[in-house]
Amino acid sequence: LSAIVSAVEIQLSFEQLNEFREINNEVPIHMRIGIHTGVIVLGNVGTVQRMEWTAIGDVVNTAARIEKAAKKGNVLISDITYEEVRDQVTVKEDIEINVKGKVHLLKLHYVDTVTFLIRGQTQILKLPS
């Protein structure tokens, strides 16, 4: 749920940023966000000369492929993720994609709204249509 709330907030921030960019005759910036749920390997990878903090595994690769399938300005989540948050998220569209290395099509959901509690208050964030 936290990842989805953060993703929607990021997309809404880009909406505001692009209003200012338009006023200044600048090209808008669009982002796609893909979210998947599962177990990953997270840590330092590399050598003493070049060490990087990274996340690896099938879940990370699948999330990257979900992100690439998303439309600009949207948050696209896997069906596994949706099942975890279905009471707090509404979706506006469902799609299925073929993912390299997977036998079955991957069912995905475009987030419309996300509902969450902050300081005891219910908040609802909605992505533009």
Side-chain angles (χ1 to χ4, degrees):
L1 181 61
S2 295
I4 296 170
V5 170
S6 297
V8 171
E9 287 179 333
I10 289 167
Q11 293 294 27
L12 293 173
S13 294
F14 271 87
E15 285 287 316
Q16 289 179 319
L17 173 66
N18 284 331
E19 288 177 19
F20 290 109
R21 292 182 66 82
E22 186 177 321
I23 291 168
N24 293 311
N25 295 318
E26 296 176 328
V27 177
I29 300 171
H30 298 285
M31 179 179 288
R32 298 174 172 94
I33 299 176
I35 298 174
H36 188 43
T37 300
V39 176
I40 63 167
V41 175
L42 183 66
N44 290 320
V45 175
T47 65
V48 174
Q49 291 81 19
R50 183 173 173 180
M51 187 71 62
E52 293 184 12
W53 182 256
T54 191
I56 58 175
D58 181 64
V59 172
V60 176
N61 295 337
T62 302
R65 289 183 173 97
I66 293 169
E67 176 263 325
K68 287 182 177 106
K71 297 174 190 172
K72 291 188 276 187
N74 283 271
V75 177
L76 188 59
I77 62 174
S78 68
D79 195 50
I80 293 168
T81 302
Y82 179 65
E83 289 303 320
E84 294 284 326
V85 296
R86 71 178 315 124
D87 294 335
Q88 292 93 9
V89 171
T90 62
V91 297
K92 53 186 168 187
E93 181 183 354
D94 299 324
I95 64 170
E96 290 184 333
I97 63 169
N98 192 6
V99 175
K100 180 181 174 184
K102 303 282 184 190
V103 175
H104 298 93
L105 291 175
L106 192 61
K107 186 174 182 181
L108 306 173
H109 309 275
Y110 278 103
V111 173
D112 184 34
T113 66
V114 60
T115 304
F116 60 101
L117 284 175
I118 187 164
R119 295 182 203 97
Q121 300 274 331
T122 300
Q123 302 291 316
I124 301 173
L125 296 177
K126 179 173 177 36
L127 283 169
S129 297

